[in-house]
């Protein structure tokens, strides 16, 4: 599929129709060879929104990946998340999920408008899928910032230029209702979308995604409104993903710069490639439990600076040499220089060819840094871990917590092969690991700790760093030891939210100020969203 052409058409047409009245469109598009509302295929806007929603790159690398101690870095770009420091202009990235998310939501709403205009009956599934996508997009936004526009979001074409920020509690109520309505509208007897990057138009898989998303949304409420969480979790029971074939994944396109895997592209940047490593917290967790993923996710570079920087050289994947980089260190030569870290193993090479991080494990290049590599959106493993927790909470869920936990572990490890066959783990090794690490359901806190630690590992090893952060906020697990680097702006605590897009104070000042006035502590990284208790 030609992503560049689809993207160009989608963006240019969207700008045109939002910026012009219907009468102007009629005047402009008199040439029958030109695109009009009537002959434009709205499916293209679905694929555009899916790709943009998935492909975040630095938007999650600079903060969530290192805040969650899944990755670590000595490079100053990453000080924002690794050390909770605002570095130069990179604070702008805190507002990117807001900015980009509402662009994605606009694509979806315009897609739905055109689909209804063209043929509402034939496009019934496309419209319903649009509502599921809208909820998927808005959940990420509200979970990141708290109160945000929802009911008036993406309605500029209707004349709403200054959308009200809905309270997050109301947003959650609306998301669940909207999702239930959208799922009910899915009809396998009618045509599916023709440019669907998740499931190639498979309506049955979209139905499972809808219920899996419902489960995730409901479980976010476990601290804020457990009674409501229980109701909606039980509505989704038995209807979510069945195995890893249901995983919602976007396959990117290495041949087009605009649709290459953004995280892979970012991590291939020279300084990133040399200074971004798996965190000591993650690697130690895998090693302490003899987790078979340790042997497939990491590699130690070849000795010396030149070979460490050569992306064509395969690193050492031997389990025994994998070593995680501790968060909170730099290469500045002072007290926090990595050479002063406890257990520093030394570098490799010498002189001008010295690599100070040469013995630390980086994400395996041939697995994680493929420019056409897949991006995970929502996975079977996530749903099974959530079902395990719901069962521990005593809710009406089929199966045992132990079975769901085992299913989650199996799915998490199997899913790595979807990144690349090199990351496949033998079935016997998976079974052995699961048998040696069963869920202890005799104590609720221990069980919930184990479940959410595995959720964190799964999200991290599939590079779904934002979801790792959001579920950590919800569950408080795993128990991470924060970094307290000099000059940090959070008093040595892990950020709980991102700050709003900086231009909102100019573009939507009244609604922005009202939203900020409701935040205990103000628009800062240490404040908490409504459900984060």
């Amino acid at each position: 599929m030609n992503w560049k052409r689809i993207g160009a058409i989608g963006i240019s047409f969207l700008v045109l129709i939002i910026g012009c009245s219907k009468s102007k469109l009629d005047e402009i598009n008199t040439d029958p060879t030109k695109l009009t509302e009537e002959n434009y295929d709205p499916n293209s806007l679905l694929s555009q929104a899916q790709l943009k929603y998935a492909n975040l790159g630095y938007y999650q690398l600079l903060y969530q990946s290192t805040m969650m101690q899944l990755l670590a870095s000595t490079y100053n770009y990453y000080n924002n998340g690794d050390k909770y420091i605002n570095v130069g202009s990179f604070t702008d990235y805190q507002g990117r999920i807001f900015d980009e998310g509402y662009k994605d939501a606009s694509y979806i709403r315009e897609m739905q408008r055109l689909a209804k205009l063209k043929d509402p009956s034939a496009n019934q599934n496309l419209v319903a899928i649009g509502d599921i996508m809208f909820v998927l997009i808005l959940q990420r936004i509200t979970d990141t910032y708290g109160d945000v526009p929802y009911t008036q979001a993406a309605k500029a074409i209707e004349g709403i230029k200054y959308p009200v920020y809905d309270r997050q509690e109301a947003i959650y109520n609306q998301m669940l209702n909207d999702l239930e309505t959208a799922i009910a509208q899915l009809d396998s007897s009618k045509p599916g979308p023709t440019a669907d990057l998740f499931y190639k138009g498979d309506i049955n898989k979209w139905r499972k995604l809808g219920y899996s998303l419902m489960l995730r949304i409901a479980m976010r409420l476990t601290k804020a409104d457990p009674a409501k969480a229980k109701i909606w979790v039980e509505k989704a029971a038995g209807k979510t993903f069945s195995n890893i074939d249901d995983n919602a994944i976007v396959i990117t396109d290495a041949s087009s710069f605009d649709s290459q895997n953004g995280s892979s592209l970012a991590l291939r940047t020279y300084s990133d490639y040399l200074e971004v490593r798996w965190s000591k917290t993650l690697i130690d967790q895998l090693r302490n439990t003899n987790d078979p993923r340790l042997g497939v996710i990491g590699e130690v570079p070849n000795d010396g600076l030149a070979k460490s920087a050569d992306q064509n050289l395969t690193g050492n994947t031997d389990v025994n040499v994998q070593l995680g980089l501790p968060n909170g260190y730099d290469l500045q030569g002072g007290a926090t220089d990595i050479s002063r870290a406890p257990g520093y193993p030394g570098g490799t090479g010498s002189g001008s060819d010295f690599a100070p991080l040469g013995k630390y494990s980086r994400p395996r290049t041939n697995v994680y840094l493929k420019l056409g590599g897949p991006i995970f959106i929502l996975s079977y493993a996530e749903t099974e871990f959530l079902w395990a927790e719901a069962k521990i909470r005593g809710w009406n869920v089929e199966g045992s917590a132990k079975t769901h936990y085992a299913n989650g572990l199996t799915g998490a490890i199997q899913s790595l092969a979807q990144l690349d066959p090199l990351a496949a783990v033998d079935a016997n090794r998976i079974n052995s690991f699961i048998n040696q690490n069963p869920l202890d359901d005799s104590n609720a806190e221990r069980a919930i700790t184990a479940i959410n630690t595995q959720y964190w590992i799964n999200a991290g090893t599939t590079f779904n760093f934002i979801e790792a952060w959001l579920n950590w906020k919800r569950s408080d697990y795993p128990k991470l030891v924060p970094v307290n680097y000099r000059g940090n702006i959070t008093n040595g605590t892990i950020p709980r939210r991102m700050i709003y897009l900086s231009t909102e104070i100019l573009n939507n000042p009244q609604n922005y100020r009202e939203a900020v006035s409701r935040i205990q502590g103000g628009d800062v990284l240490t404040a908490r969203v409504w459900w984060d208790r």
Side-chain angles (χ1 to χ4, degrees):
M1 187 174 289
N2 190 327
W3 294 109
K4 188 174 291 185
R5 180 174 180 275
I6 287 175
I9 291 174
I11 292 174
S12 62
F13 188 69
L14 184 66
V15 170
L16 176 65
I17 57 182
I18 289 177
C20 303
S21 67
K22 179 66 168 62
S23 61
K24 290 295 182 182
L25 273 172
D26 290 341
E27 292 174 14
I28 293 170
N29 292 316
T30 53
D31 186 339
T33 65
K34 301 296 184 181
L35 287 173
T36 67
E37 288 183 324
E38 289 74 17
N39 67 24
Y40 182 79
D41 184 358
N43 282 278
S44 297
L45 291 174
L46 173 62
S47 56
Q48 179 72 11
Q50 289 175 320
L51 177 63
K52 283 177 56 57
Y53 170 82
N55 207 17
L56 294 180
Y58 275 129
Y59 304 169
Q60 65 165 353
L61 288 174
L62 295 187
Y63 287 94
Q64 290 86 348
S65 73
T66 49
M67 280 167 19
M68 285 297 93
Q69 297 177 19
L70 292 160
L71 297 181
S73 181
T74 53
Y75 191 32
N76 68 328
Y77 278 19
Y78 291 82
N79 283 352
N80 296 274
D82 191 81
K83 304 167 182 67
Y84 331 137
I85 288 181
N86 284 338
V87 178
S89 63
F90 297 105
T91 56
D92 179 55
Y93 280 98
Q94 294 175 25
R96 292 295 181 88
I97 292 174
F98 189 102
D99 186 29
E100 296 298 322
Y102 282 112
K103 290 178 184 177
D104 301 340
S106 293
Y107 291 140
I108 292 299
R109 289 307 193 216
E110 183 56 23
M111 175 198 79
Q112 292 177 306
R113 188 183 74 85
L114 294 174
K116 293 175 183 177
L117 179 69
K118 193 166 187 178
D119 190 335
S121 179
N123 289 318
Q124 178 176 321
N125 284 318
L126 185 59
V127 173
I129 285 170
D131 284 335
I132 295 173
M133 281 296 306
F134 188 84
V135 171
L136 183 69
I137 293 165
L138 266 292
Q139 189 195 13
R140 176 191 282 170
I141 298 173
T142 187
D143 285 356
T144 298
Y145 302 98
D147 295 357
V148 295
Y150 186 91
T151 55
Q152 295 185 352
K155 292 186 176 180
I157 200 168
E158 299 176 24
I160 299 177
K161 299 179 180 179
Y162 310 107
V164 170
Y165 284 54
D166 298 283
R167 294 177 184 268
Q168 189 178 52
E169 182 176 5
I171 293 172
Y172 260 73
N173 291 336
Q174 193 64 50
M175 285 195 301
L176 289 165
N177 289 326
D178 289 350
L179 194 55
E180 185 175 39
T181 300
I183 294 169
Q185 290 297 312
L186 293 172
D187 187 343
S188 300
S189 69
K190 293 188 175 183
T194 59
D196 170 21
L197 304 187
F198 290 3
Y199 296 122
K200 298 180 181 178
D202 188 325
I203 299 304
N204 289 327
K205 287 187 181 293
W206 270 101
R207 188 174 290 107
K208 290 182 180 181
L209 174 60
Y211 281 114
S212 297
L213 181 57
M214 181 183 292
L215 170 65
R216 188 173 75 181
I217 292 172
M219 289 296 287
R220 288 279 204 268
L221 303 178
T222 49
K223 289 188 288 187
D225 193 342
K228 181 169 289 182
K230 178 179 183 293
I231 290 170
W232 285 93
V233 163
E234 292 176 355
K235 282 189 180 187
K239 303 170 186 175
T240 57
F241 294 154
S242 303
N243 51 55
I244 66 168
D245 292 336
D246 293 329
N247 287 349
I249 296 173
V250 168
I251 304 298
T252 54
D253 181 4
S255 68
S256 170
F257 177 80
D258 291 335
S259 53
Q260 289 175 342
N261 185 304
S263 295
S264 300
L265 187 64
L267 291 174
R268 282 183 177 273
T269 304
Y270 181 78
S271 295
D272 297 58
Y273 196 68
L274 284 176
E275 297 188 44
V276 176
R277 296 290 184 263
W278 286 118
S279 169
K280 172 178 169 59
T281 307
L282 175 66
I283 295 298
D284 285 356
Q285 170 67 30
L286 298 181
R287 184 177 302 285
N288 291 340
T289 56
N290 294 315
D291 195 308
R293 284 171 285 194
L294 182 58
V296 298
I297 68 164
E299 64 181 12
V300 174
N302 289 267
D303 289 352
L305 184 64
K307 290 182 178 179
S308 288
D310 189 339
Q311 298 176 13
N312 295 314
L313 293 178
T314 301
N316 186 352
T317 60
D318 185 344
V319 170
N320 295 315
V321 302
Q322 303 307 314
L323 183 67
L325 175 69
N327 294 85
Y329 288 90
D330 54 41
L331 291 174
Q332 303 302 312
T336 51
D337 189 273
I338 188 59
S339 63
R340 299 176 185 269
Y344 176 63
T348 61
S350 60
S352 61
D353 194 43
F354 180 67
L357 305 183
K359 293 183 180 179
Y360 289 112
S361 303
R362 66 189 177 203
R364 194 172 174 182
T365 304
N366 291 336
V367 172
Y368 290 99
L369 272 63
K370 299 188 300 182
L371 296 180
I375 302 173
F376 279 72
I377 308 300
L378 204 158
S379 72
Y380 167 69
E382 292 171 43
T383 63
E384 286 298 302
F385 289 135
L386 293 177
W387 286 128
E389 181 177 336
K391 191 69 176 182
I392 290 294
R393 292 178 179 276
W395 297 348
N396 186 19
V397 172
E398 296 177 359
S400 69
K402 286 186 175 182
T403 298
H404 286 297
Y405 181 75
N407 289 343
L409 272 179
T410 301
I413 300 172
Q414 288 177 339
S415 292
L416 294 179
Q418 293 178 322
L419 291 169
D420 189 273
L422 286 173
V425 177
D426 179 76
N428 290 328
R429 291 188 63 202
I430 296 176
N431 291 334
S432 176
F433 174 67
I434 292 171
N435 291 335
Q436 292 169 11
N437 295 274
L439 180 68
D440 178 5
D441 60 359
S442 64
N443 179 279
E445 184 175 357
R446 279 200 300 269
I448 290 176
T449 300
I451 291 165
N452 287 288
T453 297
Q454 289 301 326
Y455 196 109
W456 168 78
I457 295 171
N458 172 68
T461 55
T462 55
F463 268 29
N464 195 353
F465 300 119
I466 291 176
E467 182 57 25
W469 176 55
L470 297 177
N471 190 68
W472 171 82
K473 292 198 300 178
R474 177 195 73 84
S475 68
D476 295 320
Y477 297 110
K479 293 296 185 184
L480 302 174
V481 178
V483 166
N484 198 2
Y485 189 87
R486 67 183 185 278
N488 77 81
I489 60 171
T490 66
N491 196 29
T493 62
I494 298 171
R496 309 293 297 199
R497 66 181 290 276
M498 295 288 106
I499 61 173
Y500 288 122
L501 182 68
S502 58
T503 54
E504 280 293 281
I505 195 169
L506 299 174
N507 296 335
N508 194 5
Q510 181 177 344
N511 292 318
Y512 164 79
R513 289 192 182 98
E514 288 180 1
V516 172
S517 72
R518 299 194 292 264
I519 304 173
Q520 186 174 357
D523 187 15
V524 294
L525 298 177
T526 52
R528 296 186 180 223
V529 303
W530 165 73
W531 54 252
D532 182 12
R533 306 291 176 89

